[in-house]
Amino acid sequence: MKGHKILVIEDSPLNQKLVKLMLSKEPYELAFAESAEEGLKLGRLEVPDLILMDIRLPGMDGLEATRQVRKDRLLRDCLVVAYSAGAMRGDREKAMAAGCDGFISKPVKPQVFLEKIAAYLATQNDGINKVAIPSAPRVLLVTDSPDTLGALIAQLSGGLATLKTSPIGPGALVKARAWLPEVVIIESQDAHSAIGLLKELKESKELARIQYLAVSNEFAGDNRARFLLAG
């Protein structure tokens, strides 16, 4: 049985071999590209479930390639996970702002790598995102908590919703504009960040009529009132 399609955009032959070795025992369909330009062309042919994107590529870098993915009609719904060696301060934030769904630093232990890839692919709900169910609303889950993410996915899986996820931050706004969900669920222990994100979402004309739901212990008392006032 064939599994999810994964496109690896990585210029290092050694790192390509390492990724292939780590994923070889899983039922994934793998494709490889050595540059962003080649990866975008291959992506349009393969339409993968997940793109593993090296950030530091020759020519067009991984951040710009991710922005191109989010603008592409065929690729914008693909998961994009940044995969970068020697991650510097702010790299994760830059990747998320460009539209990435996650970030994995090199080097990484094989088991940890497999678990992260599986967790990201779990948000695809066995292909629910690829085959639209007319009665299933498009729901964007915005959270930085893996535990909360897993619990929400479990509750909404089984065809109840077409799901996508994003961490709190600029990447959530990028994904919402590209995908236009019907419902956005925001979970955060930082009420200030969550309310700030909500205001940005509501200020976007195409997102103003979306339903928003807050899930957090922090949204009580004054914070609850602030969130309601924000929309």
Side-chain angles (χ1 to χ4, degrees):
M1 179 178 177
K2 293 184 177 181
H4 291 93
K5 289 184 179 181
I6 298 178
L7 170 61
V8 182
I9 304 180
E10 166 65 70
D11 65 311
S12 166
L14 176 58
N15 286 332
Q16 285 193 13
K17 290 180 180 178
L18 289 174
V19 170
K20 187 174 183 179
L21 181 63
M22 288 189 287
L23 297 177
S24 61
K25 294 184 180 180
E26 301 298 325
Y28 298 139
E29 294 183 60
L30 302 179
F32 293 87
E34 294 185 0
S35 69
E37 293 84 356
E38 180 187 353
L40 291 171
K41 290 180 182 178
L42 185 57
R44 293 183 186 108
L45 294 174
E46 297 288 340
V47 190
D49 297 288
L50 184 148
I51 299 173
L52 193 62
M53 181 78 73
D54 185 14
I55 295 300
R56 294 176 176 82
L57 293 167
M60 183 190 301
D61 65 19
L63 297 179
E64 180 56 32
T66 299
R67 296 186 190 101
Q68 294 298 318
V69 166
R70 293 299 174 224
K71 295 176 183 177
D72 193 285
R73 181 177 60 84
L74 293 175
L75 299 176
R76 62 189 179 193
D77 288 341
C78 296
L79 292 167
V80 181
V81 177
Y83 186 51
S84 183
M88 300 174 64
R89 185 181 181 88
D91 279 359
R92 182 180 186 279
E93 290 73 16
K94 291 178 182 177
M96 297 305 174
C100 289
D101 298 282
F103 190 95
I104 300 176
S105 296
K106 309 172 192 173
V108 60
K109 293 181 179 179
Q111 187 58 40
V112 173
F113 181 76
L114 289 173
E115 290 173 357
K116 286 181 176 289
I117 294 297
Y120 289 125
L121 287 170
T123 66
Q124 291 280 17
N125 287 307
D126 297 325
I128 290 174
N129 283 342
K130 295 296 181 179
V131 182
I133 299 174
S135 60
R138 297 188 303 279
V139 178
L140 177 62
L141 306 178
V142 184
T143 178
D144 284 323
S145 169
D147 292 338
T148 300
L149 179 61
L152 289 172
I153 288 173
Q155 292 178 40
L156 295 172
S157 61
L160 293 178
T162 303
L163 303 177
K164 282 194 173 296
T165 66
S166 174
I168 295 282
L173 183 60
V174 172
K175 178 162 288 188
R177 284 174 173 164
W179 193 46
L180 296 179
E182 296 167 75
V183 181
V184 175
I185 300 176
I186 302 175
E187 192 285 333
S188 177
Q189 298 307 310
D190 183 350
H192 179 75
S193 296
I195 291 170
L197 174 61
L198 174 60
K199 288 180 178 179
E200 287 188 272
L201 290 165
K202 294 286 286 186
E203 286 172 359
S204 184
K205 184 177 179 180
E206 64 267 40
L207 304 175
R209 295 185 179 276
I210 290 173
Q211 296 183 50
Y212 294 92
L213 175 65
V215 181
S216 178
N217 293 330
E218 292 294 311
F219 297 139
D222 291 343
N223 283 335
R224 182 175 185 276
R226 289 171 61 207
F227 200 91
L228 292 173
L229 286 171

